[in-house]
Amino acid sequence: MKRIILASNSPRRRELLGGLDLDFEVKVLPDIDESYPDNLPAAEVAGYISREKAAPYRTLIGEGDLVITADTVVIVGDEVLGKPKDAEDARRMLQLISGRTHQVITGVCLLTTDKERAFSVTTDVTFKQLSEDEITYYIEHYKPFDKAGAYGIQGYGRILVEKINGDYYSIMGFPISNFLENLRKIGY
């Protein structure tokens, strides 16, 4: 590989990819559209957005370069929860997932000049029943506005979670094991 480009501002993705002893650079293009068609099934949203994030890089990479894009969404029932717009939206999301099991889906796209491989990883997360005081405290002290579903599993957010069934690192936004498996499948 000539270059590995992580096309993400997520400090968690940088940390997780950095832990794999791979040399990479972070390059994020401005104004990437993260919208998706209204009729797209909820389980396909993260994968769709990760592919859409990769598309603008096609003309910017050279032979041997690899671009990694990712997106994480939280799904409750059929509702897709992305990043909250503000504190009230964060409160609504946390109230919605309080005491329930929801799915966290992280979609990843691996793009080279001649290949594109996208995959998604789904993890079930059960939240404990949250009090209004706990929700307020979490929002005020941890400002979860850059996190799908208005929470992060690491740090204080771990006390919100009662049970996990699946890939912990996918909840953080980068499913390491599946990434390595798919990297091998495209020949790296």
Side-chain angles (χ1 to χ4, degrees):
M1 275 183 282
K2 288 185 181 175
R3 292 185 304 164
I4 299 174
I5 300 165
L6 175 61
S8 174
N9 282 320
S10 167
R12 290 160 299 282
R13 289 188 184 115
R14 276 182 278 187
E15 173 190 345
L16 292 171
L17 186 59
L20 299 176
D21 293 334
L22 297 173
D23 290 325
F24 66 95
E25 63 185 83
V26 175
K27 182 175 183 164
V28 180
L29 299 176
D31 304 320
I32 298 291
D33 182 17
E34 293 190 29
S35 63
Y36 53 90
D38 291 337
N39 62 346
L40 190 66
E44 296 176 20
V45 169
Y48 175 87
I49 294 173
S50 73
R51 289 188 306 278
E52 290 296 303
K53 286 179 176 180
Y57 290 87
R58 284 187 191 289
T59 60
L60 303 176
I61 58 174
E63 187 70 32
D65 291 346
L66 170 70
V67 174
I68 304 164
T69 58
D71 193 72
T72 301
V73 297
V74 170
I75 299 174
V76 182
D78 289 330
E79 185 176 354
V80 176
L81 305 179
K83 298 171 187 168
K85 295 181 255 338
D86 54 29
E88 275 312 302
D89 196 29
R91 178 175 307 284
R92 178 190 70 81
M93 290 181 185
L94 291 170
Q95 288 169 336
L96 186 62
I97 59 181
S98 175
R100 296 177 68 180
T101 298
H102 59 276
Q103 286 69 50
V104 177
I105 301 178
T106 295
V108 177
C109 184
L110 307 176
L111 177 73
T112 67
T113 53
D114 61 342
K115 295 177 185 166
E116 177 180 298
R117 183 159 187 92
F119 63 94
S120 294
V121 176
T122 302
T123 302
D124 291 331
V125 179
T126 303
F127 259 36
K128 71 176 195 165
Q129 188 67 44
L130 304 175
S131 70
E132 285 303 313
D133 288 343
E134 288 173 309
I135 291 172
T136 299
Y137 182 86
Y138 187 70
I139 293 169
E140 288 178 356
H141 289 85
Y142 295 95
K143 313 282 189 235
F145 307 117
D146 65 337
K147 296 169 178 53
Y151 79 94
I153 191 74
Q154 65 282 7
Y156 188 84
R158 71 182 66 137
I159 72 161
L160 309 176
V161 176
E162 191 172 276
K163 183 170 70 172
I164 296 171
N165 184 14
D167 185 341
Y168 175 83
Y169 296 107
S170 181
I171 302 168
M172 285 182 66
F174 198 67
I176 297 168
S177 179
N178 286 3
F179 164 72
L180 291 172
E181 177 185 325
N182 281 280
L183 198 58
R184 282 190 288 276
K185 287 180 179 178
I186 64 168
Y188 285 96

